[in-house]
Amino acid sequence: MVGSKALILATAASTMDHMDSAVIDNAGLRQLVATLIDLGYRVVGPTVSEDAIVLAELTSAEDLPRGWGVDVAPGRYRLRHRDDDALFGHSAGPQSWKQFLHPPRQRVWSSDGTPPEQPPPYAFIGVRACDLSAIGILNGVLGAGSYPDQGFVGRLRRTFVVAVNCTEPGGLCFCASMGTGPEVGPGYDLALTERVDVDGCHYLVDVGSDDGSRVLAAIPHRDADQNEIESARKEVSRAADRMGREMPEGDLRELLVQSRESPRWEDVASRCLTCGNCTMVCPTCFCTSTEEVTDLTGEHAERWMHWASCFEFDFTYTHPESVRKSGESRYRHWITHKLGTWHDQFGSTGCVGCGRCISWCPTGIDITEEMNALASLADGPWQPRPATKRDDD
């Protein structure tokens, strides 16, 4: 980070040791982005590009998608103009923050000893509750255990997170039934709740870390009153009742065990192209493969790691052939791992309810529809989950 970071944070710390909920306006949000850039972060947030909300580096808050929303349905994603100036009035786009913490392609070794490139620290602006949960799940997979991915751990440690509570879920969102939203959980430095009224946009700000407190102290703000806090919390709470999709109630792991031979798998296989789109847009899919490349002389070699998908025919190749040859078996493996055996491996669900896999499936396969269909076809009872239990408890 640039040398100004220490000066900015030291000045802020002298004026505020602790911050309760605050309010910033558009000018404050612009200053927030500018301050993070001055601190040496590569600031990344949602922008409009190629008819979609995509994540890209911001040069200022003016790059954020003011007045844009999205309409989504199975196999469908369309931008639309809103009738207000909301910056975060849209649901998840095709990309997740995974691409910055767990890049789709990265060099892990070079024969000349050149170390892998180290990116600058990131500041993420606009991380939804589902995506914040996804970052936590990825950390449980890649950052924990006996052999953590040091590249992932280093990137996450140096990342500043500005999360956003959802007050307007999309048509494919089902984070409420996965226990991952719409209110953001732990893991943020600052959390915003966007409010739009006749005076324009303003943002209730909650502080989640010491760095967040110091950054907030460096930008224009005022203390939030109790009515503002309660009103914002109620909007987020109401969003939980307006989800476009939901999973069936109950123990999804047990449902999938009982559905091992369900005829539903043949039905979904007749529609699945095994293209792997669902795994590419998923914010928690983490599988990788490696390849070695050399120059034309053969004197220089590198090893590269890149994303892989369990829908690839060769993903389970074991001499002399692949284990899962049919689309039926590959889809069943994906959904069973995502919602079932992920618990056994990592102690949580592997799905955060963002709805990306539904929107970006070319044939519109809906993971919630498939699970509800399996529930309706299940022969025996399967134990419901307690309604108040979160998957990460």
Side-chain angles (χ1 to χ4, degrees):
M1 299 182 189
V2 297
S4 60
K5 177 179 182 180
L7 177 60
I8 292 174
L9 293 185
T11 302
S14 68
T15 60
M16 178 180 3
D17 295 324
H18 175 74
M19 170 60 70
D20 294 321
S21 295
V23 174
I24 62 174
D25 56 14
N26 283 324
L29 188 64
R30 288 193 294 271
Q31 186 59 47
L32 171 61
V33 174
T35 296
L36 291 171
I37 292 174
D38 288 343
L39 289 173
Y41 290 105
R42 177 178 292 175
V43 179
V44 177
T47 64
V48 174
S49 178
E50 299 183 0
D51 298 321
I53 302 293
V54 301
L55 300 176
E57 185 171 358
L58 307 180
T59 59
S60 74
E62 300 305 316
D63 295 332
L64 293 167
R66 185 175 301 280
W68 285 100
V70 297
D71 291 325
V72 292
R76 183 178 184 275
Y77 178 97
R78 296 288 186 276
L79 283 181
R80 61 173 171 83
H81 287 285
R82 296 175 56 92
D83 57 5
D84 58 35
D85 289 332
L87 294 175
F88 305 106
H90 52 82
S91 56
Q95 300 167 311
S96 71
W97 307 93
K98 176 179 71 173
Q99 64 180 304
F100 303 103
L101 299 172
H102 181 49
R105 182 172 170 82
Q106 51 185 309
R107 180 167 56 84
V108 296
W109 175 83
S110 174
S111 60
D112 62 10
T114 304
E117 181 181 358
Q118 294 297 318
Y122 287 113
F124 296 159
I125 304 287
V127 181
R128 305 281 175 170
C130 57
D131 279 333
L132 188 60
S133 292
I135 292 173
I137 290 171
L138 275 181
N139 188 41
V141 174
L142 301 176
S146 301
Y147 304 99
D149 181 333
Q150 296 300 330
F152 174 89
V153 170
R155 295 183 196 99
L156 181 59
R157 184 184 298 120
R158 294 180 295 141
T159 297
F160 188 97
V161 175
V162 181
V164 174
N165 285 304
C166 283
T167 58
E168 189 176 336
L172 300 179
C173 295
F174 57 100
C175 64
S177 62
M178 300 308 299
T180 59
E183 181 181 2
V184 298
Y188 63 84
D189 294 287
L190 295 174
L192 309 179
T193 304
E194 186 172 49
R195 314 294 307 286
V196 183
D197 54 31
V198 293
D199 297 324
C201 298
H202 55 280
Y203 305 87
L204 180 74
V205 185
D206 293 307
V207 176
S209 71
D210 291 339
D211 276 352
S213 180
R214 289 188 285 266
V215 168
L216 180 58
I219 65 176
H221 66 274
R222 62 174 175 81
D223 292 342
D225 61 45
Q226 194 60 33
N227 287 336
E228 290 175 311
I229 296 173
E230 291 178 359
S231 178
R233 302 286 189 263
K234 287 179 180 178
E235 284 193 41
V236 177
S237 179
R238 284 193 292 267
D241 299 322
R242 295 187 287 114
M243 295 282 145
R245 294 290 190 277
E246 65 177 359
M247 283 288 184
E249 295 183 356
D251 189 335
L252 302 183
R253 287 172 287 183
E254 182 61 26
L255 172 60
L256 286 163
V257 169
Q258 293 191 19
S259 302
R260 175 66 176 78
E261 303 300 332
S262 173
R264 186 67 183 185
W265 301 120
E266 295 181 9
D267 179 86
V268 71
S270 70
R271 293 172 281 131
C272 179
L273 304 178
T274 65
C275 65
N277 265 21
C278 51
T279 59
M280 294 299 102
V281 298
C282 177
T284 64
C285 279
F286 61 88
C287 290
T288 58
S289 185
T290 58
E291 61 178 345
E292 282 73 37
V293 296
T294 64
D295 61 12
L296 293 177
T297 68
E299 296 178 354
H300 177 77
E302 295 179 346
R303 172 170 291 174
W304 286 78
M305 182 171 66
H306 56 81
W307 290 354
S309 171
C310 54
F311 282 92
E312 297 170 6
F313 185 77
D314 290 337
F315 185 80
T316 57
Y317 180 84
T318 303
H319 185 75
E321 58 188 3
S322 293
V323 174
R324 299 187 190 96
K325 299 178 182 179
S326 68
E328 175 184 339
S329 64
R330 279 176 269 168
Y331 185 87
R332 182 175 58 203
H333 168 76
W334 174 73
I335 198 171
T336 300
H337 185 219
K338 186 67 60 178
L339 298 172
T341 54
W342 201 295
H343 288 272
D344 302 321
Q345 286 184 281
F346 308 115
S348 75
T349 180
C351 175
V352 296
C354 66
R356 288 183 176 94
C357 62
I358 308 172
S359 181
W360 296 94
C361 173
T363 61
I365 295 173
D366 183 336
I367 188 174
T368 64
E369 178 184 341
E370 299 310 317
M371 290 302 295
N372 279 285
L374 290 173
S376 68
L377 293 171
D379 293 330
W382 43 290
Q383 184 63 39
R385 290 178 296 178
T388 57
K389 181 176 174 61
R390 291 174 63 103
D391 285 314
D392 56 353
D393 286 347

